[in-house]
Amino acid sequence: MKSAIITGATEGIGRATAIGIAKLGYKVIVIARNEKKAVELKEEIYFKTGNKETDYFLCELSSLKDVNATSIQIAKKYKQIDVLLNNAGLMMNERSLSKDGYEMNFAVNHLAHFLLTRNLLNSLEKARSARIVVVSSKMYEGAKADYDDLQSEKRYSMMNAYSVSKLFNLFFALELAEQLRKTKTTVNALHPGVVNTSLARDLKGPLKWIFSGIQPLFFSSIEKGAETSIYAATSGEMEGVTGKFLDKKEISGIKPVGLNTQNRKRIWKESEELIKKALKK
């Protein structure tokens, strides 16, 4: 039985993705911060798919030490992993810091998945043809990254901070795909669509009211949003395909901002250094 690890699977697109992949006969391994929700998801998967092969690990993605410890624990238990789906994400309307002192969008959406993936590479490479799937967003196109202020200390904008984190998701996927080009492991990023999810759960005040009001009216369902993730993780058509950006289950062109190799490598190096610093504390 093939296995798929999914972050952020207890809500929204991640939940629909976990159920969809379980239907295809995969063992679904959930990384969650809330045990009650993780147990409820296991029960829902069994009820809807008949698949009993599920597991979960508790992890706070805003703590790199927790991500490090959890990923080591997963690697010890699962010597082979077929799919890693980096799905979890958040959007903060006010600047806040992770447990390591890093800007929250940057820390959770990017750094946590960077470290998790790095620590699980050995287990992924033991699979016949492993897949790493990174949920990014077309919002990367409008990202205005300040490479001298990655923690948004000078200026913070909710939409830009989120967009920049999605750009860095794309950078990570493209750089890792290049590094793994000669292996059997593929890496692709994707845009899930404009979906009615709990992404804006951390918003406050008028913004939360606005998002809550317009999402059901204009955004796609979470099931629709999960389709591209499921496709990237399981479809035979994606066998051997790497270094691509998917939208609506099709390979999409990448805008110049996402193809800047110099910035891509700079963020990779900066990420390694920030992770090392956090783990040394």
Side-chain angles (χ1 to χ4, degrees):
M1 173 180 277
K2 288 187 175 183
S3 58
I5 295 177
I6 308 175
T7 65
T10 59
E11 297 181 9
I13 293 174
R15 193 179 193 92
T17 301
I19 294 169
I21 290 178
K23 281 182 181 178
L24 297 174
Y26 282 68
K27 176 167 188 170
V28 172
I29 303 160
V30 173
I31 295 178
R33 62 178 177 175
N34 185 307
E35 186 166 21
K36 182 174 181 292
K37 290 183 178 181
V39 171
E40 288 173 351
L41 175 59
K42 281 177 58 111
E43 294 172 349
E44 183 178 3
I45 287 174
Y46 178 56
F47 177 75
K48 289 184 174 179
T49 72
N51 188 341
K52 295 181 179 179
E53 294 298 321
T54 55
D55 195 4
Y56 68 85
F57 291 82
L58 298 180
C59 179
E60 177 53 68
L61 294 179
S62 67
S63 166
L64 290 173
K65 284 186 178 179
D66 203 14
V67 173
N68 192 56
T70 302
S71 55
I72 291 172
Q73 184 183 3
I74 293 172
K76 284 182 179 178
K77 184 172 182 179
Y78 293 99
K79 304 300 182 184
Q80 177 179 310
I81 298 167
D82 297 281
V83 175
L84 172 60
L85 211 162
N86 292 326
N87 166 81
L90 52 73
M91 179 187 290
M92 308 294 291
N93 65 321
E94 296 178 354
R95 182 178 182 271
S96 61
L97 301 180
S98 70
K99 292 187 177 182
D100 303 298
Y102 301 142
E103 191 280 312
M104 193 68 86
N105 291 275
F106 178 72
V108 173
N109 298 355
H110 170 63
L111 286 181
H113 290 112
F114 187 109
L115 177 58
L116 176 70
T117 305
R118 187 183 71 180
N119 286 357
L120 295 179
L121 275 179
N122 285 338
S123 294
L124 285 157
E125 290 174 355
K126 288 177 183 175
R128 186 181 67 82
S129 56
R131 301 183 189 188
I132 299 169
V133 179
V134 180
V135 178
S136 178
S137 167
K138 287 179 73 173
M139 286 181 69
Y140 84 84
E141 297 174 3
K144 294 177 174 58
D146 184 343
Y147 294 92
D148 296 317
D149 184 30
L150 293 178
Q151 306 310 322
S152 304
E153 294 176 293
K154 298 176 184 176
R155 180 184 303 170
Y156 181 83
S157 157
M158 176 189 75
M159 297 305 290
N160 190 57
Y162 179 76
S163 298
V164 168
S165 74
K166 295 292 103 179
L167 172 63
F168 292 169
N169 285 159
L170 178 57
F171 279 172
F172 173 64
L174 295 180
E175 181 63 22
L176 186 59
E178 188 62 32
Q179 293 182 15
L180 299 179
R181 184 73 64 174
K182 294 182 180 180
T183 73
K184 298 175 292 182
T185 303
T186 62
V187 191
N188 294 290
L190 63 87
H191 172 63
V194 183
V195 181
N196 182 20
T197 72
S198 58
L199 176 65
R201 62 187 175 275
D202 296 303
L203 299 185
K204 299 175 183 177
L207 280 174
K208 190 175 187 70
W209 180 82
I210 291 170
F211 269 82
S212 299
I214 66 173
Q215 277 185 313
L217 297 176
F218 301 106
F219 294 9
S220 301
S221 68
I222 57 173
E223 289 76 19
K224 193 70 176 176
E227 288 181 357
T228 302
S229 292
I230 296 169
Y231 175 81
T234 66
S235 173
E237 294 177 4
M238 290 300 295
E239 184 75 27
V241 176
T242 194
K244 303 299 182 184
F245 183 76
L246 304 181
D247 181 16
K248 297 176 182 176
K249 299 194 290 185
E250 294 183 354
I251 294 173
S252 177
I254 300 173
K255 300 295 184 182
V257 66
L259 295 172
N260 189 312
T261 304
Q262 182 178 351
N263 287 340
R264 190 176 84 198
K265 292 185 180 299
R266 179 176 179 177
I267 287 301
W268 184 281
K269 184 178 179 181
E270 292 266 8
S271 299
E272 286 186 323
E273 291 175 355
L274 289 169
I275 288 171
K276 185 182 298 184
K277 179 181 177 181
L279 296 182
K280 278 185 177 180
K281 289 181 179 179

